[in-house]
Amino acid sequence: MRQLSPEDIEALSVGAWILGTGGGGSPYHALLNLRRFYNDGVRINLIDPDELDDDDAVAVVSIMGAPLVFQERLVDSRLIARAVSAMEEHLGRKFRAVMPVEIGGGNGMQSLLAAVHLKIPVVDADAMGRAYPEAQMTSFAVGNLAPYPLTSIDPRGNEAIVGKTSSWKWMERVSRKLCTEFGSIVATCKAPRTGAEVKKWAIPRTTSKAINLGRAVVEANRQHADPIAAILKAESGKLLFSGKVVEVERRTTEGFLRGRTVIEGLGENHGSQIRVDFQNEWIVVWRDGQAVVSTPDLICVLDSESGEAIGTETIRYGQRTTVIALPAAPVFLSPRGLDHVGPRAFGYDIDFKSVFCS
Amino acid sequence: MRRIGIDVGGTNTDAVLIDDAKVVQGVKVATTADVTSGVATAIEALHLSANLAAGIDALMIGTTHFINAVVQRRHLTKVAVIRIALPATSSLPPFTDWPAGLAELANGGVWQIEGGHDYDGRRFATLDIAAARQIAREIRNRAQKYVVVNALFSPLDPSDEKVVAAILREEIPDVSVTCAHLLGGIGLLERENAAILNASLIALAEETITAFEHAKSKVGLNAPLFVTQNDGTVAEASRAAAYPVFSFASGATNSMRGAAYLSGLKEAVVVDVGGTTADFGHLRNGFPREANAVVHIGGVRTLFRMPDLVSIGLGGGSHVDLDAGTIGPLSVGYRLSKEALVFGGNGVTATDIGVAAGLIDLGDRKRVAHITADEVNGILRRCKEMLEENVDRLKTSAEDVTLIAVGGGAFLVPEELQGVGRVVRVQHGGCANAVGAAIAQVSGEVDQVFQGLTRDEAVASARKLADTRAVEAGAEPASLALVEAEDTPIAYLPGNAMRVRVKVVGDIRSTRIEKTAKEKVACQSVS
């Protein structure tokens, strides 16, 4: 167990946004909340999955909803804590620790806010190793663990418990409906996990990974060094392309933000283009009609100067961007893993080939 | 239509007289510490006859005074903030993430009450009217006058802000209320921040505009006064006094609008090289392209529409280091007329290089004779690189752009630049900012989420609303034209939700014509 420092919290917000691969919501409001607590002297503990006992109960939390609504309703730390307490009441037992369902974006920090009120530690693990849009796109779903129960909480005091669903996809459908009805932003406590399940199926040490990434960026910027080189070095990433955004196309279908952006090369990439398709997160990178990277490899579009991540909702004309790839969690590279999060899970009829395998 | 346009910059105050579509004359005077005497001097320098002064239709002024007040943390008043969003958002109260010093100056108390709406127009929580009235009385007892009201999703449904504003007006007779929905779009904290900055500047804005009016009457002008806005349009003086944040970036915008007007080009990159900085912007449809992003002002995160600009420390007054071959970012600024070599000073400035290279003819040329041709070329090369790099930052495609070079330091822009098809220079380019102020139009804007409509229907509804707003702001209905329509689908919202932004602009309704029409009606009714 280690105590997270104020610098860790700042670094986590930068790193989680990079691991958001374009989605997951901005960590900005969560960071503001955490800063307030840290200024008041509150500290959060991070425990390694290996420190859990097999029969410990672990709460898996997230904020679900539309980023647009997020910008208005802001995130309230007590709401996330309430989602966990509601689950404790439902189960009749207390949680030993809390963990994020996804490390990418704002959700990489929400578990910390729950931990503040519940006074329990945060497990250094998540179920995606990045951000993904749907419930069945988790390592727990790949592991065929139970998708239920789930609590869904809105700030007006509306609380729902989904007792049972027949599959992860059904859980996705039902929880999405609840979310919409509650105003398109809710706090959820997902299916509880045992210590044994976390150790077997969760993706370990992703909060530490996000902190390291963020620290590399902050440190490089402070020394006026190249933050992108620092990211590649910190997480053995691959530089794919550097250029300027010349086209952005967005549309919503079935509640998802879909679209693509075209980036025109600068410097070494002068004279060529890439296209990056997204569904909330960056999904496939195309070059000359060929898919060169695809999910589950992490595709990160970064500001070429600051190294900061750029979201699919905010990318715009003229931005100087560098596209990199980071390796996916091994659990998603198995045939079963690819069924859940490979390119076909997003409607692309292409085979996955990791850029890290050649 | 005869108009006077004035741009009060950090170094110079520029003024132009425009008759119909022609620039009759332009003048430059030094900006004064009190801002307004410079304005009076500038108008006086136009040497208007009494006859001509009576025939002026409008006086348009652009000023950087308000944004400077925030940056320098001067002249700010305390603001009371009422947020209507409980039981949501309470963990991040107003003034969260403000620089400590600025928050201390502006924070006049914070209250949060229940109310507000959802994204789909449904009520989020019942408005707590009793609490609002109680708070109004507390604010009155503290003798505070400036209040911000901000409700959850108020850009979609402003009714709660309006109700609370009315209560405040009932309880505090001389209250000044800034409703956040009028200042920014979706983004509760950022909209609130913009509203707070606005409210804290109203006292200064009122004072400044009164002083402008004073300067106007001092020189015998009785035309209506307009103040230019960030988007290249103008607002009537009274409205501008209530919304000073909308005048924050008007200087650069005025240059760009002036450049478009003087060149007749609607799509181009503009560079305005002044005394201290070179500002780059992209003209789209004759207006500056706007940044669709968070803008930090004096360290405060805000979200309202500002031109997308790049500013670098390169101007006529920039310091030149001949040994290192560098130029800027430091500048002698308004001391140029004393500190440049050609004017008898000691330090080498960009202006001295311009004189040595024969690009301009100013001061005493002999004083720069010792600078070698190699040194001059080295500095000009550096200058060219800086310009090329920043023009490229603004481009949206690899194609060559047209570059319009304006401002007093435009001589630093060479004829040939990489990525630039041609460089356009215009007559009166030195006063492009004042020209931009003089030709400014009135706008109407809408930024709203529509649901259950087709794309075309949503855009049409937004257009209608924008037209109405423009007419309310003083536009001539027949002259209204669409400058921007953008629709963005929104993730995770049902019912084809889309955010539509529409902007229209129109000419100012001529007060003289109106008067004549009224007189005619009066005559007819008598006869």
Side-chain angles (χ1 to χ4, degrees):
Chain A
M1 181 130 57
R2 75 172 174 112
Q3 193 179 76
L4 295 175
S5 68
E7 294 74 33
D8 288 335
I9 302 296
E10 300 289 327
L12 175 60
S13 73
V14 177
W17 194 215
I18 294 170
L19 292 175
T21 59
S26 159
Y28 173 65
H29 292 142
L31 174 66
L32 292 186
N33 270 302
L34 283 167
R35 271 189 198 151
R36 285 173 63 86
F37 290 120
Y38 265 64
N39 286 341
D40 292 343
V42 175
R43 291 293 179 272
I44 296 158
N45 289 315
L46 190 66
I47 60 166
D48 195 87
D50 288 346
E51 292 176 72
L52 292 169
D53 289 334
D54 282 355
D55 59 355
D56 279 337
V58 175
V60 182
V61 299
S62 84
I63 292 278
M64 270 178 86
L68 178 103
V69 179
F70 209 77
Q71 287 176 41
E72 279 288 313
R73 280 211 201 161
L74 313 181
V75 60
D76 195 320
S77 52
R78 283 164 307 184
L79 195 65
I80 309 146
R82 176 62 208 151
V84 179
S85 315
M87 184 64 87
E88 286 180 334
E89 287 160 20
H90 177 68
L91 299 174
R93 70 174 290 197
K94 292 277 179 190
F95 286 110
R96 161 81 202 282
V98 62
M99 67 175 272
V101 71
E102 61 183 353
I103 187 62
N107 271 332
M109 304 187 85
Q110 307 296 1
S111 52
L112 278 67
L113 291 174
V116 165
H117 295 281
L118 301 164
K119 301 190 169 53
I120 52 176
V122 173
V123 183
D124 192 359
D126 78 318
M128 292 181 178
R130 50 173 292 169
Y132 272 127
E134 297 186 68
Q136 75 279 4
M137 296 173 168
T138 59
S139 56
F140 296 144
V142 176
N144 221 359
L145 306 184
Y148 55 83
L150 167 137
T151 61
S152 182
I153 310 289
D154 96 343
R156 289 165 285 214
N158 295 307
E159 304 189 352
I161 296 165
V162 180
K164 194 167 182 183
T165 57
S166 60
S167 68
W168 282 93
K169 284 207 175 184
W170 266 104
M171 177 54 89
E172 167 62 28
R173 285 179 69 169
V174 174
S175 57
R176 183 77 52 201
K177 269 281 184 297
L178 275 170
C179 174
T180 308
E181 197 49 40
F182 282 176
S184 279
I185 193 144
V186 289
T188 63
C189 182
K190 317 244 174 217
R193 303 274 74 112
T194 64
E197 285 173 329
V198 170
K199 281 185 271 189
K200 180 149 191 226
W201 287 105
I203 300 156
R205 288 159 214 111
T206 46
T207 296
S208 307
K209 179 178 178 172
I211 292 172
N212 289 340
L213 261 178
R215 210 178 260 152
V217 174
V218 171
E219 195 53 34
N221 278 324
R222 195 168 56 207
Q223 295 176 0
H224 301 287
D226 179 0
I228 288 163
I231 292 168
L232 297 174
K233 193 170 159 225
E235 287 303 330
S236 339
K238 258 198 177 161
L239 181 75
L240 299 172
F241 198 80
S242 200
K244 183 167 77 169
V245 177
V246 293
E247 196 184 311
V248 182
E249 186 194 303
R250 293 189 184 90
R251 63 187 189 280
T252 42
T253 42
E254 298 144 39
F256 295 109
L257 181 72
R258 291 194 166 93
R260 59 190 204 175
T261 181
V262 177
I263 303 171
E264 200 169 79
L266 288 171
E268 277 177 28
N269 298 113
H270 185 79
S272 59
Q273 279 192 343
I274 58 165
R275 191 182 101 199
V276 192
D277 291 2
F278 55 88
Q279 179 181 327
N280 296 11
E281 285 83 37
W282 309 111
I283 302 295
V284 187
V285 180
W286 302 87
R287 194 172 185 164
D288 304 324
Q290 293 283 319
V292 288
V293 197
S294 75
T295 167
D297 278 354
L298 280 67
I299 299 160
C300 309
V301 179
L302 308 170
D303 180 290
S304 294
E305 258 175 50
S306 69
E308 250 179 72
I310 297 172
T312 55
E313 291 234 344
T314 54
I315 191 157
R316 63 184 177 95
Y317 278 118
Q319 275 177 325
R320 303 300 152 121
T321 59
T322 298
V323 183
I324 65 162
L326 298 177
V331 62
F332 293 124
L333 301 176
S334 65
R336 220 185 118 70
L338 289 173
D339 281 349
H340 286 255
V341 298
R344 286 194 173 82
F346 293 88
Y348 290 92
D349 193 19
I350 49 176
D351 293 323
F352 170 71
K353 199 177 140 249
S354 174
V355 285
F356 297 97
C357 280
S358 49
Chain B
M1 290 267 270
R2 255 193 224 111
R3 301 163 173 198
I4 292 173
I6 296 181
D7 186 276
V8 187
T11 314
N12 291 312
T13 296
D14 299 340
V16 295
L17 171 64
I18 285 198
D19 192 353
D20 280 330
K22 269 183 40 206
V23 179
V24 179
Q25 57 165 325
V27 295
K28 237 181 220 303
V29 302
T31 294
T32 51
D34 69 346
V35 180
T36 50
S37 61
V39 169
T41 312
I43 302 174
E44 277 163 1
L46 290 171
H47 297 301
L48 307 174
S49 63
N51 205 10
L52 193 58
I56 300 292
D57 291 282
L59 171 64
M60 341 285 253
I61 300 183
T63 178
T64 51
H65 206 44
F66 307 140
I67 194 163
N68 289 344
V70 176
V71 174
Q72 298 164 4
R73 316 213 156 155
R74 292 160 52 199
H75 312 295
L76 301 174
T77 47
K78 283 213 189 303
V79 177
V81 185
I82 304 174
R83 189 196 285 170
I84 310 162
L86 289 185
T89 82
S90 65
S91 68
L92 297 176
F95 292 102
T96 293
D97 208 21
W98 276 51
L102 193 57
E104 244 165 72
L105 286 174
N107 190 342
V110 160
W111 289 268
Q112 300 197 57
I113 64 173
E114 290 191 3
H117 287 80
D118 264 333
Y119 68 88
D120 55 4
R122 287 186 296 174
R123 181 159 276 294
F124 173 70
T126 310
L127 177 63
D128 191 343
I129 289 180
R133 195 162 294 277
Q134 180 58 35
I135 292 162
R137 288 177 184 153
E138 281 173 40
I139 294 171
R140 183 187 61 202
N141 292 341
R142 292 181 180 199
Q144 275 186 274
K145 203 184 141 193
Y146 299 96
V147 187
V148 160
V149 181
N150 182 30
L152 189 64
F153 274 113
S154 64
L156 307 189
D157 188 336
S159 56
D160 283 3
E161 286 184 7
K162 288 178 178 167
V163 169
V164 174
I167 292 171
L168 284 161
R169 289 190 188 104
E170 277 167 31
E171 297 289 340
I172 315 170
D174 61 343
V175 76
S176 165
V177 186
T178 298
C179 284
H181 76 272
L182 294 170
L183 280 132
I186 288 159
L188 184 100
L189 277 182
E190 292 79 8
R191 175 175 74 247
E192 185 172 85
N193 289 345
I196 297 171
L197 285 180
N198 190 73
S200 74
L201 285 167
I202 290 175
L204 173 69
E206 283 170 345
E207 203 179 291
T208 307
I209 283 164
T210 307
F212 285 159
E213 295 277 8
H214 218 79
K216 205 180 78 182
S217 44
K218 192 180 153 203
V219 292
L221 219 59
N222 62 11
L225 172 68
F226 292 86
V227 177
T228 65
Q229 313 276 293
N230 303 331
D231 65 353
T233 62
V234 287
E236 285 172 304
S238 60
R239 190 183 146 77
Y243 298 102
V245 299
F246 287 155
S247 301
F248 270 175
S250 66
T253 302
N254 288 338
S255 303
M256 294 184 62
R257 289 280 297 144
Y261 184 80
L262 293 167
S263 66
L265 296 170
K266 295 202 155 185
E267 310 283 331
V269 172
V270 175
V271 61
D272 178 7
V273 191
T276 311
T277 60
D279 300 325
F280 300 79
H282 205 148
L283 280 176
R284 202 168 61 185
N285 211 0
F287 282 84
R289 188 177 70 200
E290 284 174 335
N292 182 19
V294 166
V295 185
H296 284 87
I297 290 162
V300 180
R301 199 176 143 102
T302 61
L303 189 60
F304 60 100
R305 306 188 74 184
M306 295 273 274
D308 194 5
L309 294 173
V310 175
S311 251
I312 59 167
L314 174 69
S318 291
H319 277 292
V320 167
D321 184 333
L322 291 176
D323 297 328
T326 57
I327 177 166
L330 291 179
S331 163
V332 296
Y334 67 91
R335 302 183 308 272
L336 180 66
S337 58
K338 290 194 185 78
E339 297 197 0
L341 277 184
V342 290
F343 297 125
N346 298 314
V348 185
T349 64
T351 297
D352 297 313
I353 297 296
V355 173
L359 297 170
I360 41 161
D361 188 14
L362 276 177
D364 181 359
R365 230 191 133 157
K366 276 175 267 160
R367 292 185 53 89
V368 294
H370 66 283
I371 304 175
T372 68
D374 274 359
E375 285 170 332
V376 168
N377 291 336
I379 297 297
L380 291 177
R381 203 160 43 237
R382 177 72 203 114
C383 208
K384 180 171 181 273
E385 282 165 12
M386 288 165 82
L387 291 162
E388 283 169 347
E389 193 185 315
N390 288 286
V391 167
D392 191 55
R393 290 171 78 92
L394 278 167
K395 285 165 67 174
T396 53
S397 78
E399 283 149 48
D400 281 359
V401 289
T402 300
L403 178 71
I404 312 174
V406 295
F411 64 85
L412 288 170
V413 181
E415 290 305 320
E416 302 275 327
L417 283 164
Q418 206 172 28
V420 172
R422 67 186 171 119
V423 175
V424 175
R425 289 168 211 277
V426 290
Q427 210 192 347
H428 303 292
C431 295
N433 45 11
V435 173
I439 54 125
Q441 295 170 297
V442 180
S443 76
E445 226 175 311
V446 168
D447 180 355
Q448 219 168 286
V449 173
F450 290 86
Q451 274 183 298
L453 297 180
T454 67
R455 185 172 167 260
D456 289 348
E457 285 166 352
V459 173
S461 306
R463 168 76 206 257
K464 219 171 139 187
L465 199 53
D467 282 355
T468 310
R469 287 184 184 171
V471 172
E472 279 168 8
E476 173 63 47
S479 69
L480 290 177
L482 184 74
V483 281
E484 218 174 294
E486 183 185 76
D487 59 289
T488 323
I490 298 165
Y492 286 132
L493 296 192
N496 271 332
M498 78 187 93
R499 178 179 185 175
V500 183
R501 308 205 307 192
V502 164
K503 185 158 103 183
V504 299
V505 294
D507 296 331
I508 294 170
R509 272 196 304 271
S510 169
T511 42
R512 275 193 309 174
I513 293 166
E514 252 177 35
K515 237 180 265 160
T516 329
K518 266 189 209 140
E519 279 158 14
K520 261 188 201 154
V521 173
C523 290
Q524 279 164 357
S525 61
V526 169
S527 59

